[in-house]
Amino acid sequence: MKHAPKARPRANQNKVQKRSKHLWSADVTENSDALDLENHVFTRKPAAIAQSLKRSAERSHRRKTTPFQSAMSMLNFYINRAGKNLTAKRRQTLDRAKDELRKAFGRTK
């Protein structure tokens, strides 16, 4: 009587899944149809982040929505993907960047 082949250990599958998720978000950031971002845009001061996102959104010909929606979407994507890894100070800076972005586009909360 033959035995069934052993299944691969789950630990290896989980590592592969975690790695592919990481690569997925990096791929979205680099190849998104939303915007072509400047390097290190999210490491700047709030006003500089907002101006950079605004420039990128207005120059992009591949976006599917308005420039404001594309810029805000990319900022929210970055915040959500960073999640718990963001420090309180960094999160506060990015939240201020949202307010600056609204001002830059003449929008209110």
Side-chain angles (χ1 to χ4, degrees):
M1 185 166 150
K2 291 185 178 182
H3 295 283
K6 292 184 179 180
R8 293 176 65 180
R10 287 199 161 271
N12 288 339
Q13 290 174 348
N14 288 338
K15 286 180 185 178
V16 170
Q17 287 176 348
K18 286 180 183 177
R19 190 178 313 126
S20 66
K21 285 181 184 178
H22 174 73
L23 295 176
W24 174 84
S25 64
D27 184 55
V28 168
T29 302
E30 291 173 10
N31 302 315
S32 172
D33 277 344
L35 301 176
D36 293 323
L37 299 176
E38 297 172 4
N39 291 333
H40 309 290
V41 66
F42 297 111
T43 61
R44 302 173 185 170
K45 293 182 179 180
I49 293 171
Q51 288 304 315
S52 177
L53 287 172
K54 182 178 182 195
R55 272 192 307 272
S56 296
E58 288 174 341
R59 290 179 184 166
S60 177
H61 297 288
R62 297 183 300 152
R63 62 181 157 73
K64 296 177 182 177
T65 62
T66 66
F68 173 73
Q69 288 173 322
S70 292
M72 188 62 78
S73 176
M74 190 56 75
L75 182 54
N76 281 320
F77 173 78
Y78 179 79
I79 292 169
N80 291 339
R81 293 306 301 169
K84 294 177 183 177
N85 295 326
L86 280 177
T87 63
K89 184 177 179 181
R90 193 78 201 122
R91 175 62 193 234
Q92 186 179 22
T93 300
L94 294 170
D95 284 338
R96 276 194 245 132
K98 285 184 180 182
D99 293 335
E100 291 291 332
L101 191 59
R102 288 183 190 101
K103 285 182 197 174
F105 279 100
R107 305 268 183 128
T108 59
K109 270 189 171 180

